[in-house]
Amino acid sequence: MTKDLIIVESPAKVKTIGKFLGKDYVVEASVGHVRDLPKGDMGLDEQNGYLPRYEIIKGKEDIVGRLRKAAKAAGHVYLAPDPDREGEAIGWHVAELIKGQNTNVSRIQFNEITARAVKEALENPRPINDDLVGAQQARRVLDRLVGYKISPILWKHVKRGISAGRVQSVALRLIVDRERERRAFEPVEHWALKARLEGENPPPFRTDLWKIGTKTVAPGLKEIGSQDAAEALEKSVRAGQFTVEAVDEKERAKSPPPPFTTSSLQQVANRALGFPAKKTMGTAQKLYEGVELGEKGTVALITYMRTDSVRIADEASSAAREFILGHYGEKYAPTKVKAHKSKGGAQDAHEACRPVDVALTPDAVKAFLPADQFKLYQLIWRRFVASQMSDARFHDTTVTVKNGKTLWRAKGERLLFPGFLKVQGLEAPDPDAVAEDGSEQLPKLTNAEALKLLELTSEQKFTQPPPRYTEATLVKALEEQGIGRPSTYAAIISTLQDREYVAMEEKRFAPSELGTTVSDKLVAHFATLMDIGFTAGMERKLDEIAAGSRAWATVIEEFMADFIPALKLAGAEMERATIDSGVSCDLCGKPMHVKFGKMGEFLGCSGYPDCKNIKEFTRDEQGKILPSDKARDEITDIACELCGKPFAVKTPRKGRAREQFLGCTGYPKCKNIKNFKRTEEGVIEILAAPQVIAAGTCPECGQPMVVKTARKGSRFIACTGYPKCKHTEPLPTGVPCPKEGCDGELVEKSSRGGKVFFSCSRYPQCTQAFWDHPVPGPCPACGSVLLVEKNTKAKGLHIACPVKDCGWIKPEGEGGE
């Protein structure tokens, strides 16, 4: 019997879906995209409307062969990649590749990986949506045009090997512009006044200065702009009388937030869990595709996570209501279903990101999930359940106090009914208890009541510059400005970091000198491309292509009409990036310039090649360059034979120039090092490590043994017949293990972090180990059977006893071992 074939994106889905459908279907995975534009060239026909030329992605040939073979044997092929534009494009590419084997092809999609959703999708197949494919293709072509056309100009005028991106460059501009705002910011001094007052009824309470006359207190107000002004105001207040001006009490309702969209999930996961956007999306993908839940087998826990919509299906709403009624009670389930409104322009093809089965609580699956998956699932589950619960209710009290020409305010909030907050574990507190945030409970007060001043304080403050973007605030800004799509935010952020245009400093984005330079060059020469409004407008055009109201080729043609002239001007007018640091060379006195090398940015003398002085540097809060005394590593043209990255001349932290060595710039991933010498012409030559022949021969093949150094630093003995013979042994020290009753010997090892230590050859039976090199004893003071060789700042290289309570040190100049 001929079986039907279902092709999904991820291998993880194969097992989950196969479990639902049984033996009547074959399930295969494309493992993401199978075709793309070529890597070696632009891959677009510029003479024919920029038609793309696709090819099978390198390494995917076997997958394509397997899909073609399965398609040939299948009765019907159902394409089931993810339910978005990218998934539609993957389905189209697969269909193009298998059309020689099977043309009986349909597209199916499901928002959740459940038996019901998959079977419903199979009952409602459709053709591939050419408009969705066109929208994805337009985005891909636009990105390829910008990258391939602009990058060579940047190579010539900034640094070779860098690149520009249509959306990433605009995101970079946001970060660079924010940094400039910070550097240009001038702090304003102001003073905050607080008064602790007592009325007829306890307890005492605190108030903040709110108004002076008709002016609301804010930075820049001259009455609190200096210490003298604050002291004068404080003196006036102390001479006056505090009285209650007004007491306003009202009940306030707080509605629950909607279930997660892609953007809100990334923002909240970053704030609450510290997850980068890339980690959030990767973890969510695993929850969507399915995880092993013991006897339940592989179960998908959440619906599709790439969505702009806050809409949920009726059955999901009903299931949530039943759960809320059963676990929290009737008052927590609103009589009317909570309907949340999506933002304008949101694509409503998919539901919000929610748990597939609300009955699978976080506690029920915690034992089966890695910590990160559990944390994210708990976040999604709680947000969804909360979105379907009753409002929280608060009793708000605002007290206004008058003293002469000043008005003071105190606010109190009391939770009456937790509503949706209960799913977070918050309950209605005792009315007489102190609030959770530590604020004091407001007493019962009446209008015109006289109050006693217990304490009056003033604190100097300064206005702060706008903060750098965190991942959460950058995602929020991108969404608000219409830059990119939520599904692309993680890739945008990763690209900016991978290109070293930005770096994370205290969990916030700081532009590098390279990033700032690239942004400035693009703004100067590609104003339209770097315009936020233009980028947002292009996203709307891509939406129109997806909706079928625009042709993708027309959008490309309109874009190129402005882009081609800008390219020509940039190629002719862009100048070589020269950034004066404001620092003079300490060797020749000429200006130092910011330069960009293989290992990042540095200060280089403008007198090069006559003066080769280079320095590391940092910037202060105002952007002023501060040279570092640390010498910059010299990057060589010698490639590491292990990873291909260049070697750099390194100086040991406690060493001298004569102790320099070559270290791989791929450190810490690659720890390859070499000894070297310089010729009379200054050329670096690698010195071959001398082979130290070890005593004895290989017990496996009889060839001589040699001492070698492992990548992590420790030495070992290996057969010279390598690679035919792979016999190795730890390098012995000749010192017996000091543990009583152990017949082992101390041998050289290295830790995971690359630090050499010495442990017993009988490990794990014996765990005796030392960080310092062992030497034969005994200790003349305590009789320890071994001593150790130490190297400290105070005493240099010396021999000492390892016993803590002994402290014996071999006298300097004393001979013998």
Side-chain angles (χ1 to χ4, degrees):
M1 179 181 173
T2 303
K3 297 181 180 181
D4 290 338
L5 171 66
I6 298 175
I7 299 177
V8 296
E9 273 187 57
S10 167
K13 295 180 188 176
V14 172
K15 186 176 180 181
T16 311
I17 294 174
K19 182 182 70 172
F20 300 150
L21 300 177
K23 299 179 181 179
D24 294 335
Y25 293 88
V26 174
V27 186
E28 293 283 356
S30 69
V31 194
H33 279 276
V34 288
R35 288 201 314 179
D36 197 6
L37 297 171
K39 282 194 172 182
D41 59 79
M42 187 165 64
L44 302 176
D45 187 349
E46 298 186 63
Q47 308 304 318
N48 191 20
Y50 300 96
L51 283 174
R53 173 172 54 83
Y54 295 111
E55 59 182 34
I56 295 172
I57 296 170
K58 189 175 180 180
K60 289 292 186 78
E61 295 84 0
D62 289 346
I63 292 172
V64 171
R66 189 176 71 246
L67 294 180
R68 282 172 169 164
K69 183 179 179 181
K72 187 174 182 179
H76 196 107
V77 179
Y78 294 98
L79 303 171
D82 289 345
D84 55 15
R85 293 177 193 172
E86 210 69 27
E88 202 74 18
I90 290 172
W92 176 74
H93 282 295
V94 170
E96 288 291 302
L97 289 171
I98 66 171
K99 63 185 180 183
Q101 289 73 38
N102 198 324
T103 57
N104 193 17
V105 176
S106 299
R107 169 77 160 117
I108 60 172
Q109 67 180 60
F110 31 82
N111 191 51
E112 59 186 59
I113 304 177
T114 60
R116 176 191 58 78
V118 173
K119 289 174 182 176
E120 281 183 7
L122 287 167
E123 291 169 3
N124 296 280
R126 61 169 175 81
I128 289 173
N129 188 321
D130 292 333
D131 295 327
L132 292 179
V133 174
Q136 189 276 343
Q137 188 162 256
R139 182 186 293 278
R140 191 73 187 91
V141 170
L142 284 169
D143 291 344
R144 178 56 67 100
L145 283 167
V146 170
Y148 263 72
K149 295 291 187 180
I150 294 181
S151 295
I153 300 175
L154 294 177
W155 293 2
K156 182 179 178 182
H157 296 98
V158 182
K159 177 189 174 185
R160 187 163 185 82
I162 62 175
S163 58
R166 181 181 61 86
V167 179
Q168 295 93 328
S169 296
V170 182
L172 174 62
R173 180 180 183 177
L174 291 179
I175 296 171
V176 171
D177 287 351
R178 175 60 60 87
E179 192 68 14
R180 286 218 165 92
E181 287 180 56
R182 289 173 53 81
R183 291 177 181 175
F185 181 82
E186 294 184 6
V188 176
E189 180 185 8
H190 63 107
W191 289 72
L193 273 69
K194 297 178 182 291
R196 189 160 183 259
L197 306 172
E198 184 179 48
E200 295 176 4
N201 299 300
F205 64 101
R206 297 183 184 275
T207 61
D208 296 304
L209 180 62
W210 173 42
K211 282 188 176 183
I212 303 173
T214 59
K215 299 174 185 175
T216 302
V217 169
L221 199 63
K222 66 179 182 179
E223 287 86 352
I224 54 167
S226 66
Q227 183 174 359
D228 289 344
E231 287 176 352
L233 182 61
E234 188 176 339
K235 184 178 180 182
S236 172
V237 168
R238 288 185 185 277
Q241 172 65 52
F242 285 94
T243 57
V244 177
E245 181 80 359
V247 179
D248 296 317
E249 294 183 288
K250 62 180 179 180
E251 189 172 311
R252 171 175 59 90
K254 184 177 181 181
S255 299
F260 282 128
T261 61
T262 305
S263 171
S264 59
L265 176 61
Q266 291 175 1
Q267 292 176 54
V268 175
N270 182 253
R271 288 196 302 265
L273 307 177
F275 284 8
K278 186 175 182 179
K279 181 176 181 177
T280 297
M281 297 308 290
T283 306
Q285 183 80 34
K286 293 172 184 174
L287 295 175
Y288 165 67
E289 291 173 350
V291 295
E292 286 290 334
L293 296 183
E295 295 179 358
K296 292 179 180 290
T298 304
V299 177
L301 292 181
I302 65 170
T303 58
Y304 194 52
M305 60 282 158
R306 292 183 176 88
T307 174
D308 289 349
S309 176
V310 296
R311 173 182 59 83
I312 61 170
D314 291 342
E315 56 266 30
S317 177
S318 299
R321 181 175 176 79
E322 288 180 20
F323 181 88
I324 294 164
L325 286 169
H327 287 76
Y328 299 110
E330 190 172 348
K331 59 183 178 180
Y332 288 92
T335 53
K336 187 178 179 182
V337 174
K338 287 281 184 183
H340 300 276
K341 189 177 181 182
S342 298
K343 292 183 178 179
Q347 298 173 13
D348 201 47
H350 316 303
E351 287 185 66
C353 180
R354 61 167 176 82
V356 169
D357 182 0
V358 72
L360 280 177
T361 65
D363 287 342
V365 299
K366 184 175 183 179
F368 304 101
L369 300 182
D372 289 343
Q373 290 183 26
F374 169 74
K375 289 175 185 176
L376 193 65
Y377 180 66
Q378 180 173 255
L379 203 67
I380 294 168
W381 185 90
R382 284 180 171 178
R383 177 80 167 224
F384 169 67
V385 174
S387 75
Q388 301 304 299
M389 294 177 75
S390 301
D391 294 349
R393 296 200 312 275
F394 297 85
H395 183 272
D396 290 345
T397 303
T398 302
V399 176
T400 304
V401 175
K402 185 176 179 63
N403 182 310
K405 63 179 181 179
T406 62
L407 289 177
W408 305 67
R409 263 190 173 177
K411 292 186 177 181
E413 178 186 276
R414 183 159 52 90
L415 182 62
L416 298 176
F417 173 65
F420 72 93
L421 297 175
K422 190 176 178 67
V423 79
Q424 306 291 343
L426 298 180
E427 304 288 347
D430 184 326
D432 298 323
V434 175
E436 286 192 359
D437 63 1
S439 61
E440 296 171 314
Q441 191 76 29
L442 291 176
K444 185 177 180 181
L445 297 165
T446 57
N447 287 346
E449 180 180 339
L451 302 171
K452 180 182 178 182
L453 175 63
L454 299 179
E455 183 183 18
L456 182 62
T457 60
S458 58
E459 180 184 359
Q460 183 187 36
K461 294 191 174 186
F462 291 91
T463 53
Q464 298 297 310
R468 287 171 172 162
Y469 288 107
T470 62
E471 281 218 7
T473 56
L474 181 60
V475 165
K476 184 178 180 181
L478 293 172
E479 183 180 37
E480 289 175 349
Q481 301 278 11
I483 301 170
R485 278 289 172 197
S487 58
T488 67
Y489 295 159
I492 290 171
I493 291 168
S494 292
T495 302
L496 291 177
Q497 292 176 297
D498 292 343
R499 291 175 179 171
E500 297 183 348
Y501 290 165
V502 302
M504 292 297 278
E505 294 184 9
E506 297 179 348
K507 298 184 179 180
R508 294 181 180 271
F509 291 110
S512 64
E513 293 297 326
L514 180 61
T516 301
T517 302
V518 168
S519 180
D520 290 348
K521 292 290 184 186
L522 293 177
V523 169
H525 296 279
F526 298 94
T528 301
L529 181 69
M530 294 294 285
D531 180 71
I532 292 171
F534 173 80
T535 306
M538 184 59 69
E539 291 297 333
R540 288 192 292 272
K541 288 181 181 180
L542 293 174
D543 291 344
E544 290 169 3
I545 295 171
S549 57
R550 269 183 183 266
W552 76 266
T554 304
V555 171
I556 302 297
E557 185 181 338
E558 291 171 352
F559 173 78
M560 293 304 291
D562 287 329
F563 188 49
I564 290 174
L567 281 169
K568 291 179 179 177
L569 279 174
E573 296 178 359
M574 188 181 289
E575 297 178 350
R576 178 75 186 174
T578 302
I579 306 172
D580 193 350
S581 66
V583 176
S584 296
C585 175
D586 53 355
L587 298 183
C588 71
K590 291 184 178 179
M592 300 284 279
H593 290 167
V594 176
K595 295 181 177 289
F596 308 111
K598 294 177 182 178
M599 295 300 293
E601 56 214 27
F602 62 96
L603 294 182
C605 182
S606 58
Y608 181 88
D610 296 328
C611 179
K612 296 185 173 68
N613 191 17
I614 56 177
K615 287 183 177 291
E616 301 279 2
F617 72 94
T618 57
R619 284 188 184 267
D620 62 16
E621 284 294 318
Q622 285 68 48
K624 182 181 178 182
I625 286 179
L626 305 174
S628 170
D629 292 333
K630 178 185 173 185
R632 182 176 172 83
D633 295 334
E634 177 188 349
I635 308 300
T636 72
D637 293 326
I638 303 170
C640 171
E641 76 277 13
L642 299 180
C643 71
K645 292 189 175 181
F647 278 110
V649 177
K650 301 276 186 179
T651 303
R653 288 181 180 179
K654 298 180 182 179
R656 297 175 291 277
R658 65 181 176 83
E659 297 171 327
Q660 288 180 327
F661 62 94
L662 295 182
C664 180
T665 54
Y667 182 87
K669 290 184 178 178
C670 179
K671 296 183 173 67
N672 194 12
I673 59 173
K674 302 280 185 184
N675 290 323
F676 76 96
K677 70 173 184 178
R678 290 186 188 269
T679 65
E680 291 182 1
E681 294 78 23
V683 177
I684 291 175
E685 291 183 351
I686 292 178
L687 296 175
Q691 285 205 331
V692 180
I693 303 299
T697 56
C698 175
E700 294 185 18
C701 69
Q703 295 198 53
M705 300 285 280
V706 66
V707 177
K708 292 193 172 185
T709 302
R711 289 182 64 179
K712 289 189 175 181
S714 62
R715 295 171 298 169
F716 63 98
I717 299 174
C719 178
T720 54
Y722 181 85
K724 288 184 178 179
C725 179
K726 295 184 172 63
H727 179 75
T728 62
E729 298 173 9
L731 182 70
T733 63
V735 180
C737 176
K739 189 172 182 179
E740 189 174 347
C742 179
D743 59 356
E745 180 183 5
L746 295 180
V747 296
E748 194 167 310
K749 293 286 184 75
S750 54
S751 67
R752 289 182 181 178
K755 188 174 180 180
V756 174
F757 69 100
F758 304 88
S759 68
C760 181
S761 58
R762 294 190 67 248
Y763 177 86
Q765 288 82 12
C766 177
T767 58
Q768 190 73 247
F770 300 87
W771 287 115
D772 300 304
H773 195 293
V775 230
C779 171
C782 71
S784 170
V785 296
L786 64 76
L787 302 172
V788 292
E789 190 178 80
K790 288 180 173 285
N791 192 356
T792 63
K793 280 185 178 180
K795 298 185 177 296
L797 191 65
H798 63 281
I799 293 174
C801 179
V803 179
K804 288 183 179 180
D805 296 333
C806 176
W808 179 84
I809 295 175
K810 185 177 183 179
E812 190 174 350
E814 187 174 306
E817 288 294 314

